[in-house]
Amino acid sequence: MTARRAGLREQKKQATREALRTAALRLALERGPDNVRVDDIAEAAGVSPRTYNNYFPSREHAIVAAVTGEREARIAAAVADRPDGVGLADAVVEAIVDQYTAPDEPARDALLLITTRPTLRDAYVEAASAIEHPLTDAIAERLGDTDPHTARVLATSVAAAVRLALQQWLHATAASATAGGLVVPSGSLPDLLRATLAPLAPALDAAEQRARRHPHR
Amino acid sequence: MTARRAGLREQKKQATREALRTAALRLALERGPDNVRVDDIAEAAGVSPRTYNNYFPSREHAIVAAVTGEREARIAAAVADRPDGVGLADAVVEAIVDQYTAPDEPARDALLLITTRPTLRDAYVEAASAIEHPLTDAIAERLGDTDPHTARVLATSVAAAVRLALQQWLHATAASATAGGLVVPSGSLPDLLRATLAPLAPALDAAEQRARRHPHR
DNA sequence: GCCAAAAATTGCGTGCACGCAAGTTTGCGT
DNA sequence: ACGCAAACTTGCGTGCACGCAATTTTTGGC
């Protein structure tokens, strides 16, 4: 009767996960991303190298996870929190923009690190896929659970659009990096996100109208 | 001098590429996918193992490429070929459905092979991403090049939806016995594709209307 | 408290992706 | 025809992902 049902185990797992990604980012910042082996990360976190891959499927994932954190959960919550008066499209777009503008999000030097290495950039972009499932639930909630399939399609498409926006954003900043000057990667990501998600708004609106016309219960 | 300009080199490259993917599929079918090393494929195609990875980024890609072939190009062409009277949404959806129903597409035993191994399934699904760029061009063409950004977003979303449909299709056919599938009754892929792309139709239509209202040239 | 089952960690072995720095082939200008 | 430059291939070395089976740790029932 100590902790919650099956709780202490999970707690420890989250602890090592946290230790791993923190160590990964710290080492990458200290030595540069190419001079940190997965063995180093494992050692710094006090686990075996093999265990590392029980937590992260690749070397890059840990570093990226240190930056992205629990963003997917926060986005889902943010969508759910918008008042019902707000249209679905606006709710989704603004929730996403908010989370990508969150105070701790930048972590300037970490993002700068990521932009330098192509494999890290890819992993960072790919990490946005994690919003798919939480977002599916959030959208399904808003649509009244009438059609889970539609919710999945929309969430998938939104996630894809977000990845596209991130890709273009990083590509732009990388290009301007070679052009000289310090590259604080703030070419207005919010604007880019909004512009990229805009074409999907009609699809979100249409789904919302349909749901309104066929209320579920 | 019968070959096209700057053609002989490229011709050879396509030949080895073809040889590699053919060999990969043949060997996988003969021995089972787990009993074929990349060295074997390379040897069967008469190139060095290192060269294999100059053509395909992973072992699975060659096998999958043998099945998917040049689908992405065919889809783009199919979109372009639809008469102008047809709406953009219909043009895209039907072009995709057509290509995934092409006569040689199934290759029954090959697809069966793919469904068995998770890594192959993933690669097969992922391969659908290749339609993104050709589809972007095709859509941009139909929209009159007014806004390339919108075309990219739409193509990206469509590709994501196609991946989703394939994923569900493969998942359904794999676990048809266990679950009491409350999702789409796992039936024909065309139906699943149409159902999955349907929620995006409003976005495609809206873009088309906008383009019609602001003709470019 | 104690023990058996479940779950997580670990070491090992294997195949693989890929950078790099030779070698080799192709194509083009003169 | 000739030779040079660019493109492609190859061998090598390194780090990595991951299946498997043995081991250690956690948990819940008694």
Side-chain angles (χ1 to χ4, degrees):
Chain A
M1 298 251 190
T2 53
R4 292 197 270 318
R5 172 129 185 125
L8 191 141
R9 217 187 188 90
E10 194 62 23
Q11 220 167 348
K12 272 198 153 183
K13 278 188 68 170
Q14 294 308 326
T16 32
R17 170 169 252 103
E18 171 68 18
L20 278 171
R21 64 187 190 199
T22 304
L25 179 57
R26 180 175 58 77
L27 289 179
L29 286 171
E30 284 178 7
R31 317 179 179 177
D34 292 341
N35 301 328
V36 48
R37 326 235 155 289
V38 41
D39 296 34
D40 303 334
I41 303 174
E43 191 183 9
V47 297
S48 93
R50 181 60 183 86
T51 297
Y52 174 91
N53 277 334
N54 290 344
Y55 281 85
F56 295 100
S58 93
R59 188 172 63 95
E60 290 76 18
H61 271 72
I63 300 179
V64 165
V67 171
T68 59
E70 310 300 333
R71 182 162 49 207
E72 66 272 9
R74 281 182 283 139
I75 286 183
V79 170
D81 277 4
R82 307 272 155 177
D84 276 15
V86 181
L88 177 60
D90 280 348
V92 169
V93 172
E94 293 309 318
I96 290 173
V97 169
D98 277 10
Q99 291 308 319
Y100 273 95
T101 326
D104 66 311
E105 170 54 34
R108 300 266 180 254
D109 39 358
L111 262 191
L112 224 143
L113 178 81
I114 287 176
T115 40
T116 52
R117 294 294 182 281
T119 69
L120 282 179
R121 284 195 321 209
D122 291 352
Y124 181 72
V125 170
E126 195 58 28
S129 306
I131 70 173
E132 265 186 40
H133 282 102
L135 190 58
T136 298
D137 295 346
I139 292 180
E141 179 68 24
R142 282 217 159 219
L143 291 184
D145 285 336
T146 66
D147 184 3
H149 187 64
T150 295
R152 281 180 68 160
V153 175
L154 294 175
T156 299
S157 299
V158 167
V162 171
R163 289 198 299 269
L164 176 61
L166 289 175
Q167 212 165 19
Q168 292 183 329
W169 184 58
L170 291 181
H171 187 60
T173 56
S176 69
T178 55
L182 77 151
V183 201
V184 183
S186 109
S188 188
L189 177 57
D191 288 352
L192 185 50
L193 277 170
R194 272 188 256 264
T196 306
L197 289 172
L200 291 181
L204 291 161
D205 290 341
E208 193 173 31
Q209 290 310 315
R210 260 183 64 91
R212 203 157 283 177
R213 242 178 291 123
H214 304 282
H216 193 227
R217 37 167 167 263
Chain B
M1 293 288 178
T2 53
R4 291 193 264 313
R5 177 117 183 127
L8 192 140
R9 218 184 187 93
E10 194 62 22
Q11 222 169 347
K12 273 196 152 185
K13 278 188 69 170
Q14 293 309 325
T16 25
R17 171 170 251 102
E18 170 68 19
L20 279 171
R21 65 187 189 198
T22 305
L25 180 57
R26 180 176 59 78
L27 290 178
L29 286 172
E30 285 179 7
R31 321 178 177 177
D34 291 341
N35 301 328
V36 48
R37 326 230 166 292
V38 42
D39 296 32
D40 303 334
I41 303 174
E43 190 183 10
V47 297
S48 94
R50 182 61 182 86
T51 297
Y52 175 90
N53 278 330
N54 290 344
Y55 281 86
F56 295 99
S58 93
R59 189 173 63 95
E60 290 76 19
H61 270 72
I63 301 179
V64 165
V67 171
T68 60
E70 309 300 334
R71 185 189 301 148
E72 66 273 7
R74 282 183 281 139
I75 286 183
V79 170
D81 277 4
R82 307 274 154 176
D84 275 16
V86 181
L88 177 60
D90 279 350
V92 169
V93 172
E94 293 309 316
I96 290 173
V97 169
D98 276 10
Q99 291 309 320
Y100 274 95
T101 327
D104 66 310
E105 170 54 35
R108 298 272 176 250
D109 38 358
L111 261 190
L112 224 139
L113 178 82
I114 286 175
T115 39
T116 51
R117 293 296 183 281
T119 70
L120 282 179
R121 285 196 322 211
D122 292 352
Y124 180 72
V125 169
E126 195 58 27
S129 306
I131 70 174
E132 263 185 41
H133 281 104
L135 189 57
T136 297
D137 295 345
I139 292 180
E141 179 68 25
R142 283 215 158 220
L143 290 183
D145 285 334
T146 68
D147 185 4
H149 187 63
T150 296
R152 281 178 71 160
V153 175
L154 293 176
T156 299
S157 299
V158 167
V162 171
R163 288 198 300 269
L164 176 60
L166 289 174
Q167 211 165 19
Q168 292 183 329
W169 185 58
L170 291 180
H171 191 280
T173 53
S176 57
T178 59
L182 29 108
V183 245
V184 185
S186 71
S188 68
L189 177 57
D191 288 352
L192 185 50
L193 277 170
R194 270 188 259 264
T196 306
L197 289 172
L200 291 180
L204 292 162
D205 290 341
E208 194 173 30
Q209 290 310 315
R210 260 183 63 92
R212 202 157 285 176
R213 242 178 291 124
H214 304 282
H216 192 229
R217 36 163 190 263

